Amino acid sequence: MSNRSELLEQLNAESRRHYAAWTLLNQKLADAQGLHPTDLQCLNLLEQEEGPQSTGRIAEMTGLTAGSATRLVDRLTKAGLVVRQPDPHDRRRAMVALSPAARTRLNEAWEAPGTAYDEALASFSDDELAVIREYFRRIQEVGRAQALAVDAPGSGAG
């Protein structure tokens, strides 16, 4: 096996370990907040987006069906973690935004992991951090594409 193929094999293994570790962290943070892991990820994703999102967009971001996404938003609204707002472009549609309480809870939940993450990255140069950022951007695209492929008819996995 060539050095590059060995390195790619090791990166694949580390990536899978990385995913497993962050899945466990998400579960533990959700448990600590009294939330389902999908609820926490929805809140995290809403925080990363610019402005309120439609329930349809939330379904896309979380991989849920439209009905499941509606139930998720209903649950988060009842818990005071999101608010529905009229869509300024289409008054028939509601947009979903994080509530101030959700922002506070997310910031508190991610404070210790965020600090640890910053510490783990502290010794990397700006150029190395730029490569890591690009890696995450590309891997996110791969993950989204693979999730769609699993759901595709004839994929054998759906």
Side-chain angles (χ1 to χ4, degrees):
M1 194 180 306
S2 75
N3 194 23
R4 182 174 178 85
S5 64
E6 288 174 5
L7 183 57
L8 288 170
E9 188 176 302
Q10 291 166 358
L11 281 169
N12 190 332
E14 289 302 325
S15 179
R16 291 171 70 181
R17 286 185 191 99
H18 169 264
Y19 175 75
W22 282 97
T23 300
L24 177 60
L25 175 61
N26 183 64
Q27 178 70 56
K28 296 290 185 177
L29 288 176
D31 289 348
Q33 294 294 315
L35 298 170
H36 186 277
T38 303
D39 296 2
L40 181 61
Q41 279 310 301
C42 178
L43 296 173
N44 282 327
L45 291 167
L46 281 172
E47 185 180 41
Q48 300 302 315
E49 294 294 313
E50 294 209 15
Q53 302 296 309
S54 69
T55 302
R57 176 71 180 124
I58 290 170
E60 289 172 16
M61 292 188 307
T62 59
L64 296 172
T65 64
S68 293
T70 298
R71 287 187 294 279
L72 168 67
V73 170
D74 289 344
R75 200 168 51 244
L76 294 175
T77 301
K78 185 176 179 181
L81 297 172
V82 300
V83 293
R84 286 187 167 102
Q85 305 170 343
D87 183 337
H89 306 292
D90 181 353
R91 293 286 178 179
R92 297 168 296 175
R93 186 167 79 157
M95 302 297 282
V96 180
L98 286 180
S99 69
R103 287 192 192 284
T104 299
R105 283 178 72 175
L106 282 173
N107 288 338
E108 290 172 359
W110 283 102
E111 185 175 346
T115 298
Y117 194 76
D118 290 346
E119 289 170 2
L121 295 172
S123 65
F124 290 98
S125 71
D126 289 353
D127 288 343
E128 290 169 325
L129 290 173
V131 169
I132 294 168
R133 182 189 62 214
E134 180 63 13
Y135 163 79
F136 280 126
R137 188 193 64 74
R138 290 182 190 184
I139 293 305
Q140 287 172 48
E141 289 176 7
V142 169
R144 281 190 292 273
Q146 291 302 305
L148 290 172
V150 169
D151 288 340
S155 69

